[in-house]
Amino acid sequence: SQQGEEDPQALSIQEGENATMNCSYKTSINNLQWYRQNSGRGLVHLILIRSNEREKHSGRLRVTLDTSKKSSSLLITASRAADTASYFCAVLNFGNEKLTFGTGTRLTIIP
Amino acid sequence: EPEVTQTPSHQVTQMGQEVILRCVPISNHLYFYWYRQILGQKVEFLVSFYNNEISEKSEIFDDQFSVERPDGSNFTLKIRSTKLEDSAMYFCASRPAQGGYGYTFGSGTRLTVV
């Protein structure tokens, strides 16, 4: 089954606005992680939220997790041009080591 | 901040040739991974490695692929006889033994099979 599907696929906002990206998954998870990827570059880990957590903050990032709806959201507040990148959610199931990535949201911040 | 280092950053190879992609994980990490991303597609899991052996592998990781940790620092992915469809970005990642930490990814090797 597919895991970690993000929406929207693409998002363009003005600098200074907030950006919200969503992720849905299908099975029970150990944790859910968000990564950023600049074009043609590696994946940078942003934040991890465990299945027993509901919300987590890191700087301008806020992640929520609703295990009853099997969904997560990533909020970037006060966006900057440097936030332009693709954002991926990835889920880790219990009992294995395989991170399953979503298709990603392409975020463009317009200066 | 500690990094996962991958070499080379780009590799072009003829179909049927063997390639070895190299990675130096973070020194105190104990779990190692290879992922790949075909252009425009999802990041896909290939293999995980712990305690000097494969702990999990995907359907993609067939007999053409192998991994090795030849010494205390390097972690390699070998593709024995490359196919056109092996063209992708290959990412190495590592994480500490304790759970609850995200993975640290390298910047990737872009493999082009011609």
Side-chain angles (χ1 to χ4, degrees), chain A residues 2-5 31 33 35 37 40-43 45 48 50 88 92 96-99 101-103, chain B residues 31 33 35 37 42-43 45 48 55-56 59 89 91 95 99-103 105-108 110:
Chain A
Q2 284 188 320
Q3 293 271 57
E5 300 296 325
N31 64 61
Q33 305 176 29
Y35 288 83
Q37 185 181 36
R41 305 295 298 275
L43 295 149
H45 176 253
L48 179 152
R50 297 176 197 251
F88 295 89
L92 186 69
N96 67 47
E97 285 295 318
K98 181 174 77 168
L99 261 186
F101 282 81
T103 48
Chain B
Y31 290 84
Y33 310 87
Y35 286 77
Q37 186 180 33
K42 287 188 183 187
V43 177
F45 169 80
S48 60
S55 50
E56 195 170 348
E59 315 80 59
M89 279 287 281
F91 294 106
R95 74 164 180 88
Y101 289 89
Y103 296 28
F105 281 82
S107 53
R110 182 172 297 283

Side-chain angles (χ1 to χ4, degrees), chain A:
Chain A
S1 61
Q2 284 188 320
Q3 293 271 57
E5 300 296 325
E6 291 95 332
D7 80 86
Q9 290 188 333
L11 178 63
S12 290
I13 59 172
Q14 294 288 128
E15 194 168 19
E17 292 181 340
N18 296 340
T20 300
M21 289 159 272
N22 302 297
C23 168
S24 60
Y25 57 92
K26 292 195 183 302
T27 64
S28 295
I29 60 171
N30 180 332
N31 64 61
L32 184 146
Q33 305 176 29
W34 285 91
Y35 288 83
R36 185 184 72 221
Q37 185 181 36
N38 289 84
S39 184
R41 305 295 298 275
L43 295 149
V44 175
H45 176 253
L46 296 176
I47 197 163
L48 179 152
I49 187 163
R50 297 176 197 251
S51 59
N52 62 353
E53 297 175 312
R54 292 296 164 258
E55 188 170 309
K56 209 159 180 182
H57 297 253
S58 176
R60 294 184 296 114
L61 304 181
R62 182 173 81 106
V63 168
T64 62
L65 180 65
D66 186 334
T67 51
S68 66
K69 294 181 180 174
K70 292 188 168 55
S71 67
S72 173
S73 67
L74 171 68
L75 168 68
I76 304 174
T77 60
S79 61
R80 304 169 182 166
D83 295 329
T84 293
S86 291
Y87 291 81
F88 295 89
C89 70
V91 297
L92 186 69
N93 298 116
F94 287 102
N96 67 47
E97 285 295 318
K98 181 174 77 168
L99 261 186
T100 303
F101 282 81
T103 48
T105 293
R106 174 74 192 159
L107 176 66
T108 302
I109 308 299
I110 304 163

Side-chain angles (χ1 to χ4, degrees), chain B:
Chain B
E1 189 165 329
E3 289 183 341
V4 172
T5 305
Q6 288 187 245
T7 55
S9 56
H10 293 91
Q11 177 140 8
V12 181
T13 189
Q14 296 269 344
M15 192 169 57
Q17 294 293 305
E18 174 183 287
V19 294
I20 297 176
L21 309 183
R22 301 179 192 279
C23 170
V24 179
I26 293 173
S27 60
N28 62 350
H29 285 186
L30 296 181
Y31 290 84
F32 313 115
Y33 310 87
W34 284 99
Y35 286 77
R36 79 172 186 192
Q37 186 180 33
I38 295 171
L39 187 63
Q41 297 188 24
K42 287 188 183 187
V43 177
E44 300 173 292
F45 169 80
L46 292 178
V47 66
S48 60
F49 192 87
Y50 171 72
N51 202 25
N52 285 322
E53 60 183 25
I54 291 173
S55 50
E56 195 170 348
K57 60 183 181 180
S58 71
E59 315 80 59
I60 302 167
F61 194 89
D62 61 21
D63 292 343
Q64 294 298 313
F65 292 86
S66 62
V67 289
E68 198 176 36
R69 189 155 161 82
D71 52 44
S73 59
N74 291 286
F75 180 50
T76 61
L77 174 69
K78 183 192 292 187
I79 309 174
R80 251 181 283 284
S81 177
T82 50
K83 309 183 193 85
L84 294 177
E85 54 265 36
D86 293 328
S87 295
M89 279 287 281
Y90 287 81
F91 294 106
C92 174
S94 67
R95 74 164 180 88
Q98 312 95 301
Y101 289 89
Y103 296 28
T104 303
F105 281 82
S107 53
T109 293
R110 182 172 297 283
L111 176 66
T112 303
V113 182
V114 297

